[in-house]
Amino acid sequence: MAIFNLIYLSCGVVGLFLLAYKIRSLRSSWGSPRVVALISTVFFSAFALLCAAPANIGWINRTSGVPNFAALLVYSLVVCFAGSAFVLVLYWRYPAAQAWRRVRLIVVGYASVVVAMIVLFSASEVGEERQVDFDTFYATQPTIAVFLFIYLVATMIGCGGQAYHCWQGSCDEAISARPWLRLGLRWYCAAALFPMMFAVIKLFVLLMDWAGQRGFDVLSTTAPLMASLSMIPLVIAMALPVFGPRRPSPSLWVRRWRTYFALRPLHRALVHVNPAIVLVAPGKYLNPHHRVRRQIIELNDWRWALTPYFDLNVGEAAASLAHEASLTKDEVAAVVEAAQLRVAGSSGGRARAPERRPASEIVDGTDLAAEHDRWVRISRAYQHSPIVDAAVAGAARVDAAGGMD
């Protein structure tokens, strides 16, 4: 019982939070058939899960005064969920007027199923309360057998229709240009597969019970747990089209952290130039995009502050050694810049008289990605390049000999 309560109640609470969020975010669109269908889908799924928890089943039965009334309530909610989910995807795929011709058949059909279930339940003898195994315990009672059959078939058709249309919609050429929406539709498809498989398993066990084969009853007891897990892909499906476009891709997030750690040694080496400008905005400490953006801003400021102290002899020596090593144009520029920064940033470099340098000597990246790449090359050359070491050491020897201009 404990595991049933834990899963049903936790998934039901998630559904309530999702329902509250959707009602709040879509309040300006009330009256739209799509919004009504979406809210109905979340409402019926959340309350079906909450009412299916054994702890709530006993309370519902006692409050209503009808043994096993919770079974009728939960199964009716599940049927309504399947019908509303089917309606929702039709409104997604077709214009409202075109969808309505199919939607009205679904509404009438599923309303008729609920009415038939109420009539069949009322005509049945279900005096003994069964919180978990209602289906298998009463499976051979004719009216309950029909009650279960139409409930399971309606659920299977509704969820199957949802899965089919969501998958077809995700393959539409018009959707392919919106990857987050396409991915969201596929998660909706996955969310529909859980209750559909639940209905298939339940229907199989029901048929076996009619045939007198009771060995499969355990499947009927555990199948609802699988159906409750549909809340997880449902939440993901509803979140992706909203939050997905606002979030950078995971691969970009990883690349930004790699850039941050590649720039960190150079950033630490030059921070003494003006530590007052170092800034991490509140709440952004673990945001690699913000951290790298700040690094680039601060490195550019420090470089401009150091530009008057650049030693042209160091730059020429580094460039000469880089060309001898057959480095690429970008690598040569990075080595020259790193050597200049290392000398200018040292106490000896800052002691020399500053000189005005033409702005053309410093060329920024053409875009943000190019700027990142350029500074990463400079940082790596600053730390690891033997050419930078040689150029800086040569400058130090000249300085020590008193030959620096």
Side-chain angles (χ1 to χ4, degrees), residues 38-60:
L38 177 60
I39 298 299
S40 299
T41 300
V42 181
F43 174 88
F44 289 129
S45 62
F47 279 93
L49 289 169
L50 289 173
C51 294
N56 290 333
I57 288 176
W59 178 81
I60 293 170

Side-chain angles (χ1 to χ4, degrees), residues 287-306:
N287 185 328
H289 310 282
H290 171 75
R291 300 298 299 275
V292 170
R293 185 163 54 250
R294 286 303 311 172
Q295 282 182 322
I296 297 296
I297 292 171
E298 291 153 13
L299 285 170
N300 276 314
D301 282 348
W302 296 332
R303 183 192 61 185
W304 280 109
L306 292 174

Side-chain angles (χ1 to χ4, degrees), residues 202-226:
K202 281 274 194 179
L203 190 58
F204 168 76
V205 174
L206 179 64
L207 295 174
M208 291 297 100
D209 287 343
W210 290 354
Q213 302 294 326
R214 290 283 183 170
F216 299 97
D217 285 1
V218 66
L219 295 178
S220 181
T221 304
T222 58
L225 296 178
M226 179 181 66

Side-chain angles (χ1 to χ4, degrees), residues 57-70 121 126-127 129:
I57 288 176
W59 178 81
I60 293 170
N61 290 336
R62 289 191 304 271
T63 303
S64 66
V66 179
N68 296 302
F69 177 77
F121 183 85
V126 287
E129 182 181 82

